[in-house]
Amino acid sequence: MADLTMPTAAQSVAPFDATGAVVRAVLAAGPLTIDEMSRRIGLPARSASDTVRLLERDGWLATRGARESGGAAVFDLRADAAFVLGLDLGGTKLHAAVADLRGRVVAEGVEPTDQRGGQHVVEQIGRLADVLARRGDVPDGRIRIGAMGSPGVVDPRSGGIAIAPNIPGLDEIDVGAALKGRLGFAVAIENDVNLAAVGEAWRGARGGAANFAFIAVGTGIGMGIVADGELLHGARGAAGEIAYLPLGADPFDRRNLRLGTLETAIGSRAIVARYEALGGAPGKTVRQIFDVIGTDQAACVALDDVARILATAILAVHSVLDPERVVLGGSIGSRPELSAMVERHLAACMSRPVRVEISVLGSRATLTGAIGSALDSFYRSVFAIPWLRLSSSGESRTMSADGAAR
């Protein structure tokens, strides 16, 4: 197949946004005849036919046989007409995937993050993207856009990523510009927990909620907020920095300024410290402390204290945002033992406790959100279609990693 070029504005948006309407129709319903498209989008059959032929010429649609023998041809989206790159960059690992226009992952890889940071990480991302493109049989130039989740927030002036102490040097370069220079396409950079919330909104447990909070608890704590179906960023992109809530410790203690008062109180280091202070055996990891919760009183009390503080934080979040539900993720937040304790404490401090769920995406939440965000940017820029709103509402069929419609 010949390599496709990105359609021009004139090619992409016909009068009355007919191209967007046709693409939206096949995303929602699958293969359609021209007459079916005409009825579905309210466009005269001749106009629908002209629009389909335009999209077919530019490589976005293809015929998929006929509805029945001798019947009219049906047309469907060419999922391989373009691809997106999703990235989850952490302090210890880099997780990347290439997905087609239906959101089906065609290649995926994980490797340790280059500890030299900065430009070395940019080059690592470029090499991994090249490997995945070859592995997924993606033609040169067919990956059109990307999205990356990272700790911290992007400084809008410098393009550097601030508050990401585990990945050195990212605050010293314009990360977005460096990635575009290496990859040849734009990569939007978003806080990793925000993208985890996007992943939950697209393919997760939030069950159609337009207003919810995703709280990740692990080494640290962070929150992504979806309000009225949109990701909430705040004035400086730092909305959801729940680690700095003045709960669980003294917010005026300057030792808490770097990581945040709440994170200092209930992050993984705090759990270990609480356990040992209560007489627990030294040297245990958080996972090991959870494993003995049924037989070790120190573990039970330490984790219950953490659950109580987390419930207080959820109460504060609920008072300000009024989410329909709270989704817990991260290596600690996704533990069912902690979730059960949190719910018990919420029942004691709320007359109508907010619903709490555990993320069904687990460690894949940020990567899933990165893919969804990249697809949303692609469809909005080319066809003026809000992909995430369509697929999250169920209007558009989404595709699992094995290609099955969901």
Side-chain angles (χ1 to χ4, degrees):
M1 184 180 75
D3 187 31
L4 302 176
T5 57
M6 184 72 80
T8 64
Q11 291 173 322
S12 298
V13 184
F16 309 108
D17 195 22
T19 54
V22 167
V23 171
R24 182 172 185 152
V26 296
L27 281 171
L32 295 170
T33 68
I34 289 176
D35 284 343
E36 289 168 340
M37 291 183 198
S38 174
R39 291 192 298 270
R40 181 174 280 269
I41 64 181
L43 200 64
R46 177 62 182 272
S47 297
S49 177
D50 290 345
T51 304
V52 168
R53 297 306 175 188
L54 172 68
L55 289 164
E56 186 181 26
R57 182 200 71 189
D58 290 338
W60 301 115
L61 295 184
T63 55
R64 297 290 188 239
R67 186 69 73 205
E68 57 188 28
S69 179
V74 295
F75 296 84
D76 197 8
L77 180 75
R78 285 190 57 179
D80 65 347
F83 295 83
V84 301
L85 175 68
L87 298 162
D88 177 7
L89 175 63
T92 59
K93 70 176 182 179
L94 169 65
H95 195 176
V98 175
D100 66 18
L101 292 184
R102 285 284 190 185
R104 185 180 69 91
V105 172
V106 299
E108 182 174 344
V110 182
E111 59 184 48
T113 302
D114 191 321
Q115 294 302 300
R116 292 174 294 177
Q119 191 64 41
H120 297 286
V121 170
V122 171
E123 182 58 32
Q124 179 186 21
I125 290 170
R127 289 195 305 271
L128 183 55
D130 293 341
V131 168
L132 295 182
R134 290 193 297 270
R135 189 182 302 165
D137 292 325
V138 178
D140 290 345
R142 198 69 63 81
I143 301 178
R144 300 300 178 82
I145 199 168
M148 181 175 80
S150 168
V153 295
V154 177
D155 185 325
R157 296 167 299 179
S158 68
I161 301 177
I163 326 177
N166 293 323
I167 312 175
L170 292 184
D171 58 342
E172 300 172 359
I173 62 174
D174 185 330
V175 181
L179 285 171
K180 185 174 183 180
R182 174 59 179 82
L183 296 167
F185 53 84
V187 176
I189 303 171
E190 181 63 83
N191 175 267
D192 53 358
V193 181
N194 281 351
L195 281 187
V198 171
E200 288 293 335
W202 180 28
R203 286 184 171 173
R206 57 100 206 179
N211 296 275
F212 72 97
F214 178 91
I215 298 178
V217 186
T219 301
I221 180 169
M223 179 171 67
I225 305 163
V226 174
D228 296 330
E230 299 287 346
L231 188 64
L232 187 64
H233 288 93
R236 292 166 296 190
E241 288 293 336
I242 192 175
Y244 292 90
L245 279 178
L247 300 171
D250 181 4
F252 295 98
D253 185 338
R254 297 191 65 82
R255 291 174 297 178
N256 297 331
L257 293 181
R258 179 173 175 270
L259 299 178
T261 305
L262 181 61
E263 182 171 313
T264 302
I266 66 173
S268 59
R269 293 177 184 173
I271 292 176
V272 172
R274 284 177 183 275
Y275 172 71
E276 292 181 359
L278 290 165
K284 285 189 181 294
T285 64
V286 173
R287 180 190 295 272
Q288 290 169 332
I289 294 172
F290 269 102
D291 289 343
V292 297
I293 192 173
T295 58
D296 189 324
Q297 182 66 16
C300 183
V301 173
L303 292 172
D304 190 67
D305 285 347
V306 167
R308 182 184 179 92
I309 296 170
L310 180 56
T312 306
I314 292 173
L315 173 60
V317 168
H318 186 268
S319 299
V320 174
L321 299 176
D322 188 28
E324 296 174 50
R325 66 195 68 193
V326 171
V327 180
L328 295 179
S331 58
I332 295 172
S334 59
R335 298 285 305 218
E337 305 96 327
L338 182 68
S339 176
M341 293 179 187
V342 168
E343 289 186 280
R344 186 176 71 250
H345 287 299
L346 286 174
C349 67
M350 298 181 70
S351 57
R352 298 177 62 185
V354 63
R355 181 174 175 178
V356 175
E357 299 177 354
I358 295 175
S359 168
V360 298
L361 297 176
S363 63
R364 297 184 62 83
T366 296
L367 182 68
T368 301
I371 294 169
S373 180
L375 283 168
D376 189 64
S377 295
F378 176 86
Y379 278 102
R380 286 179 185 270
S381 65
V382 179
F383 300 113
I385 296 173
W387 161 266
L388 281 171
R389 278 189 176 274
L390 294 178
S391 54
S392 297
S393 67
E395 181 176 342
S396 170
R397 300 182 310 164
T398 60
M399 304 295 289
S400 63
D402 61 3
R406 297 178 63 198

